[in-house]
Amino acid sequence: MQFGTGDGTNDGQDSTNDDGQDPSNDPSQEIDNGKVQEKIPGPASIPAPPNRLASARRAFGEYASGGGSSSNLRSSLRKYAKGSGGGSGTSRRLASGISAGTGLLRMMSGDSVTVNNNSLSLSELNGLTTDQAIDRITEHLTPENGDADAVRIALDYALSEALPDEEDFNADVITEDVMHEALSCYLTDLIFQDIVTGMGRAWFNTEHASKHHRMEEELRELVKVVTQEQVEKLTSGNAGNITKDNITQLQIDAITQSVEVWESYND
């Protein structure tokens, strides 16, 4: 799996299908981040206007310094969605995360996934503790670029939430429902981190740490509800419809549609 920098360059192999895999069906074929970018609708590069998130940051600052009402949060998300380039812009910004999510779901589907010429399959992790297995998967799939911290955190969160609470890891525990939960949690955390990062110092316009924690929980829950709704729609409520062949497009669509929901919020 070759993780690019999210700039749309194709640094992988040329003989790939639409989902970045080699037509030879080699299960260890590296994922081409350039192909992920090509699947995102809209222009590949749009210059970001200066202060594009200024109104969103003001709204989040008011949410943080005021009563922190749900209506204020929804207004803040609407302005964030419009200022962040909409669904396509957000998907492009999260392209490295989408590539890692594709690797995760292919690995959970039984493939050996290659990153920078190193391959890993879940069966190799049998016998490790669950925590050790999560660390190995996260380390393997985390890209070597500026998105590394966000992707690492999201992978760790998704796996910790989705995997059964057992001391020892066994690849046989990976079911369609586990994959579905992992995908929903992963996208939730990727989007949540993108919002918090975009809001910068405005996020900290609160006097008490306890209030900051409550705001984080409220934001994450709203992101989770909307994101899970989109995943449910895209899969028709059937976890079996999440496959290693459609997982890249499914992530793009889920992110895009989630942001479009926020754009529709009324102030």
Side-chain angles (χ1 to χ4, degrees):
M1 186 186 309
Q2 289 193 330
F3 295 110
T5 59
D7 58 3
T9 57
N10 186 342
D11 52 8
Q13 298 186 21
D14 293 329
S15 57
T16 54
N17 63 20
D18 286 343
D19 208 25
Q21 278 194 309
D22 186 90
S24 66
N25 293 322
D26 177 0
S28 65
Q29 175 65 31
E30 295 196 12
I31 297 170
D32 181 347
N33 194 56
K35 289 293 182 181
V36 173
Q37 287 279 357
E38 289 175 11
K39 294 173 77 68
I40 300 173
S45 179
I46 300 177
N51 300 319
R52 61 190 175 88
L53 291 176
S55 63
R57 287 171 178 157
R58 283 195 297 272
F60 268 92
E62 292 169 2
Y63 165 70
S65 61
S69 70
S70 296
S71 61
N72 287 341
L73 178 56
R74 289 167 65 91
S75 176
S76 301
L77 278 175
R78 177 177 179 271
K79 293 175 180 176
Y80 158 82
K82 291 184 174 297
S84 63
S88 293
T90 303
S91 293
R92 289 196 184 281
R93 199 164 49 252
L94 298 178
S96 289
I98 293 171
S99 295
T102 298
L104 175 63
L105 268 294
R106 287 186 179 163
M107 191 179 291
M108 297 179 88
S109 297
D111 280 356
S112 175
V113 172
T114 301
V115 179
N116 297 329
N117 298 317
N118 295 314
S119 298
L120 182 68
S121 64
L122 293 189
S123 61
E124 298 174 47
L125 306 179
N126 288 338
L128 297 179
T129 67
T130 297
D131 286 344
Q132 288 172 333
I134 290 173
D135 288 344
R136 285 284 303 278
I137 297 167
T138 299
E139 178 182 0
H140 186 69
L141 295 176
T142 297
E144 296 178 355
N145 59 30
D147 300 319
D149 286 344
V151 173
R152 182 183 299 108
I153 292 169
L155 286 168
D156 185 77
Y157 171 74
L159 289 165
S160 298
E161 290 291 313
L163 290 177
D165 188 17
E166 301 287 345
E167 181 176 354
D168 295 326
F169 178 79
N170 188 321
D172 292 339
V173 303
I174 306 300
T175 63
E176 292 175 351
D177 288 337
V178 169
M179 293 171 61
H180 184 278
E181 180 68 10
L183 174 63
S184 294
C185 291
Y186 180 68
L187 293 179
T188 292
D189 202 71
L190 271 185
I191 298 170
F192 169 79
Q193 290 187 72
D194 185 66
I195 296 169
V196 172
T197 299
M199 292 309 98
R201 294 177 60 87
W203 186 247
F204 298 97
N205 287 351
T206 179
E207 297 179 2
H208 303 291
S210 60
K211 183 178 178 181
H212 185 207
H213 179 68
R214 179 177 61 79
M215 287 165 42
E216 281 192 348
E217 290 183 332
E218 184 176 8
L219 174 60
R220 184 187 289 276
E221 184 60 27
L222 182 53
V223 171
K224 181 179 181 180
V225 167
V226 174
T227 303
Q228 286 187 336
E229 285 179 351
Q230 307 320 306
V231 172
E232 288 293 321
K233 290 179 182 178
L234 290 165
T235 60
S236 300
N238 183 352
N241 288 331
I242 302 174
T243 72
K244 61 185 179 183
D245 296 320
N246 69 16
I247 184 56
T248 297
Q249 191 63 57
L250 197 153
Q251 290 178 93
I252 293 169
D253 292 344
I255 292 169
T256 298
Q257 293 176 22
S258 294
V259 174
E260 288 173 351
V261 168
W262 299 328
E263 285 184 295
S264 70
Y265 286 165
N266 294 320
D267 285 335

